[in-house]
Amino acid sequence: MPSESPYKTGLEPKILSRARTTLGSLLLVLTVITIAGAHQGVVSGDFDRVLVKPFREFAADLKKAANPSPTPTPTPRPSTAPSPTPMPTKKPTPVVKKTQPVYSNCIRKNIREGEFASNRCYAPQDYEDLEYYLGRYYSAVSERDTQEAFIGVTCPGMSDMFKKSCEEHKQKKATAEANIGKYKGIVLGIIAKGR
């Protein structure tokens, strides 16, 4: 008859069941806490700052170390020997060139279609103004087109029922057309400032 090992301790089924339940509960609580912590970290931005950002910085540093920028090689300067007889030299007069203002932070705006088509660079304030007035221009164009569609529905028969509505749509269309002209001039002026 094989003898039992003195090092093997038997656990009763009841104790084993409690141990499994306790371990499962602890794992569940740990999982919930981990998920809640990750969620809170993502929402507050700390997750990115503490866990993700250091790895990004490490990868960027590693990339810089792997691809060092080439060191500039010194260019030899030509040596000039003094001439035996000095000749008077005529200094050229500097030519003053008209330059456009240099923007330290230029923002490029690519307008692909329409009468404003361009690919220019703008000062930050001009860029914001261009975005704003382009939006207003396109909004006015959309309003004009909408009013034309309403006029096509309400005005042909000119029954008494649609007469007032027809006049309102005509007035709104005229206002939209005036706004189109106004915003077009402003947008063209801002585009002219770009370089």
Side-chain angles (χ1 to χ4, degrees), residues 56-70:
R56 284 189 196 145
E57 290 173 356
F58 176 75
D61 291 342
L62 188 64
K63 189 174 183 181
K64 284 181 186 175
N67 299 326
S69 60

Side-chain angles (χ1 to χ4, degrees), residues 42-116:
V42 169
V43 169
S44 67
D46 290 338
F47 185 78
D48 183 57
R49 181 178 55 82
V50 173
L51 293 176
V52 178
K53 188 176 180 185
F55 289 111
R56 284 189 196 145
E57 290 173 356
F58 176 75
D61 291 342
L62 188 64
K63 189 174 183 181
K64 284 181 186 175
N67 299 326
S69 60
T71 56
T73 57
T75 54
R77 293 186 179 166
S79 62
T80 56
S83 63
T85 56
M87 302 215 14
T89 58
K90 184 178 179 184
K91 290 185 177 179
T93 57
V95 177
V96 179
K97 294 181 181 178
K98 184 178 179 183
T99 59
Q100 292 183 334
V102 176
Y103 304 122
S104 61
N105 48 354
C106 172
I107 304 170
R108 188 159 303 279
K109 173 71 174 170
N110 186 10
I111 306 171
R112 295 184 182 173
E113 52 191 47
E115 57 197 317
F116 305 128

Side-chain angles (χ1 to χ4, degrees), residues 120-189:
R120 295 186 175 201
C121 202
Y122 302 94
Q125 184 60 49
D126 290 337
Y127 180 82
E128 286 181 26
D129 291 345
L130 181 62
E131 287 285 316
Y132 175 77
Y133 286 112
L134 270 174
R136 302 291 268 176
Y137 173 81
Y138 290 126
S139 178
V141 169
S142 176
E143 177 67 19
R144 179 201 60 198
D145 295 345
T146 302
Q147 296 308 321
E148 282 180 353
F150 283 132
I151 289 170
V153 171
T154 58
C155 295
M158 275 308 248
S159 67
D160 292 336
M161 186 171 135
F162 293 118
K163 194 172 197 175
K164 182 179 177 185
S165 184
C166 175
E167 294 304 318
E168 287 175 1
H169 292 304
K170 284 182 179 178
Q171 180 154 2
K172 288 180 182 177
K173 179 185 174 190
T175 303
E177 286 175 340
N179 286 339
I180 288 171
K182 177 174 77 172
Y183 295 133
K184 179 180 179 180
I186 294 171
V187 168
L188 289 173

